[in-house]
Amino acid sequence: MITVKYFASLRSIAGKEEDQFNMGSETTLINLTHEISKTAPIIGEMILGKKVMVSVNLDVASLESIIRDGDEIALLPPFSGGI
Amino acid sequence: MSTALESNVRIQQENFVVTDEIEAIKKVSRNIGGITTFLGTGRELSKGENISKLDFEHYPKMAEKKLEEIRIQAIKDYGIIEMIIVHRIGEIDIGENIVLIVAAGEHRKETFKACEWAIAELKRTTPIWKRETTSTGEVWVQDTP
């Protein structure tokens, strides 16, 4: 399973903190995005439109990145730490 | 040479004491001759609206990882001796401490530069989000200057 974490404004949109997706042993972030879009099309559009960043196992990744079973994906809206 | 302390980058709910962090960094090296601090605090006015409350959220592990990368790069690129970065999460009232950066070096010049770079880099790369509560509701801030 692949875990997808939603933060800040995306958590409000998704209505949950995380999701689990069964994508086989290996796929791409784009394929995962299409899967997310089936239940949350707004979030899918935000990912494809690069309105949010995506990390794979704590590192920022591109949509072409290969992801594997057991990976932790996070959808990261624009940061606003500091002041 | 500086000693990398595990507590040099921290994300925590509780408040911090600026002078305690300065005293801690002074202990790292007897060659420290200049220390620059940046302290970010909760301000009341944002885009013309009065804020009643701030909330900060982070992505655990990734946020700490990014802060550690900033610390390491600041030491390497600016030639400072040590840097401490502390960011608070959770509910924060107006006027309370939010973020602290302490840069210590042999001379003042590199510590000013490192401190300014570090807060800009924190805002750019670290997965921390701020939610402001005003009289019109709550909003996740997405474009801090």
Side-chain angles (χ1 to χ4, degrees):
Chain A
M1 298 292 269
I2 286 171
T3 302
V4 176
K5 289 178 168 286
Y6 305 102
F7 286 99
S9 56
L10 283 179
R11 188 179 56 246
S12 305
I13 296 170
K16 52 191 150 187
E17 292 188 0
E18 65 177 53
D19 252 336
Q20 302 270 328
F21 292 91
N22 189 350
M23 303 291 293
S25 61
E26 194 174 285
T27 187
T28 62
L29 269 179
I30 287 183
N31 286 339
L32 175 66
T33 302
H34 293 322
E35 199 62 29
I36 292 170
S37 295
K38 288 179 184 173
T39 54
I42 294 173
I43 292 179
E45 282 173 27
M46 290 171 85
I47 298 169
L48 295 173
K50 297 189 170 26
K51 306 283 187 200
V52 299
M53 283 205 288
V54 184
S55 69
V56 179
N57 301 330
L58 310 182
D59 287 318
V60 173
S62 70
L63 289 178
E64 293 73 32
S65 298
I66 302 290
I67 53 175
R68 295 178 177 82
D69 191 39
D71 281 351
E72 179 176 292
I73 313 302
L75 304 182
L76 312 169
F79 307 141
S80 50
I83 57 159
Chain B
M1 288 294 288
S2 63
T3 306
L5 303 173
E6 199 178 330
S7 61
N8 279 357
V9 300
R10 304 194 314 270
I11 294 176
Q12 61 189 44
Q13 285 205 325
E14 62 269 25
N15 195 14
F16 50 79
V17 178
V18 177
T19 50
D20 287 354
E21 306 300 335
I22 292 172
E23 288 306 315
I25 210 166
K26 280 164 72 176
K27 291 192 176 87
V28 170
S29 169
R30 290 171 62 84
N31 282 332
I32 290 172
I35 297 173
T36 297
T37 62
F38 172 79
L39 174 65
T41 59
R43 66 170 177 273
E44 188 169 51
L45 203 61
S46 176
K47 295 176 183 168
E49 284 209 77
N50 276 325
I51 299 167
S52 58
K53 192 181 75 173
L54 296 165
D55 280 288
F56 284 88
E57 171 183 330
H58 76 308
Y59 180 8
K61 292 184 185 169
M62 184 175 176
E64 287 87 347
K65 181 171 176 260
K66 289 294 172 188
L67 293 187
E68 180 62 12
E69 286 173 7
I70 290 168
R71 171 182 164 270
I72 297 290
Q73 197 171 340
I75 292 169
K76 180 171 170 279
D77 290 356
Y78 293 92
I80 59 172
I81 292 171
E82 187 53 273
M83 174 171 277
I84 290 175
I85 308 175
V86 188
H87 201 299
R88 291 181 66 203
I89 51 166
E91 203 172 298
I92 291 177
D93 285 333
I94 305 307
E96 281 190 29
N97 296 336
I98 297 173
V99 59
L100 176 70
I101 295 178
V102 185
E106 290 184 24
H107 305 284
R108 69 185 186 284
K109 206 171 180 179
E110 62 265 28
T111 65
F112 279 123
K113 287 180 181 172
C115 204
E116 185 168 25
W117 173 81
I119 184 62
E121 194 68 0
L122 181 155
K123 292 172 73 68
R124 192 178 73 82
T125 67
T126 308
I128 298 176
W129 298 274
K130 175 168 64 177
R131 184 171 56 182
E132 295 176 344
T133 302
T134 68
S135 57
T136 55
E138 296 177 348
V139 62
W140 286 104
V141 178
Q142 301 214 337
D143 55 346
T144 51

